[in-house]
Amino acid sequence: MIVMINGAFGSGKTSAATKLQPLIPNSMIYDPEEIGYMLRNVIADDVRMEVEKTDDFQDMELWKVLTVKVAREIRQKYDKHLIVPMTIYKSEQFSYIHRGLKELDPNLFHFTLMTSMETLHDRLLKRGR
């Protein structure tokens, strides 16, 4: 089983994933943001393509590719159900990752968390964003 939890920053994805994880035996949280952080540290600006020279790791082509590949490797090596919280707001990246995860598990569950702008604003202020 793979559960994608999508939504805006501050919508509660990580909280939902953390509460869901104990309810799904043999599961783990797989956060693709970690792939993005690694890519930002490994791929220097002078190596990046021009469209990748932003503060958003989702602009890096390798992010979406590695997000799916790492999910595949985790499934094969550790045989875990994956709970995947992530904010994907670009349709091309979403389509690629959704399609890739669905190939790994045809019964992919996808949820989009929604909340009011006021709640998002309050949560992001508490985080300092």
Side-chain angles (χ1 to χ4, degrees):
M1 169 189 319
I2 299 177
V3 179
M4 280 180 71
I5 304 173
N6 197 10
F9 296 111
S11 64
K13 299 173 304 297
T14 301
S15 296
T18 300
K19 290 183 182 199
L20 185 60
Q21 195 268 327
L23 302 175
I24 302 174
N26 194 39
S27 68
M28 63 177 276
I29 296 173
Y30 165 52
D31 188 348
E33 275 192 0
E34 298 298 330
I35 304 276
Y37 300 146
M38 181 270 304
L39 286 172
R40 270 199 290 210
N41 289 325
V42 170
I43 310 296
D45 271 350
D46 63 332
V47 175
R48 294 182 195 186
M49 298 180 338
E50 198 59 39
V51 297
E52 298 177 333
K53 293 182 180 180
T54 69
D55 287 337
D56 187 352
F57 55 73
Q58 290 190 29
D59 290 328
M60 299 178 76
E61 179 74 18
L62 275 178
W63 177 76
K64 68 181 183 185
V65 173
L66 290 179
T67 292
V68 173
K69 286 187 180 214
V70 170
R72 179 177 292 116
E73 294 300 319
I74 291 171
R75 292 286 303 262
Q76 289 176 353
K77 175 119 180 130
Y78 301 106
D79 193 31
K80 294 283 190 182
H81 298 297
L82 300 179
I83 302 166
V84 189
M86 63 182 130
T87 297
I88 305 180
Y89 56 92
K90 295 181 179 185
S91 59
E92 179 186 334
Q93 279 78 342
F94 176 83
S95 295
Y96 183 94
I97 291 169
H98 187 272
R99 186 173 48 253
L101 295 180
K102 193 154 183 77
E103 287 174 10
L104 291 176
D105 188 339
N107 296 315
L108 171 71
F109 293 92
H110 173 250
F111 300 95
T112 300
L113 301 185
M114 301 175 76
T115 189
S116 70
M117 287 299 290
E118 181 181 331
T119 299
L120 286 177
H121 185 259
D122 290 345
R123 288 177 182 171
L124 292 177
L125 276 177
K126 287 178 186 172
R127 287 189 197 173
R129 283 191 178 189

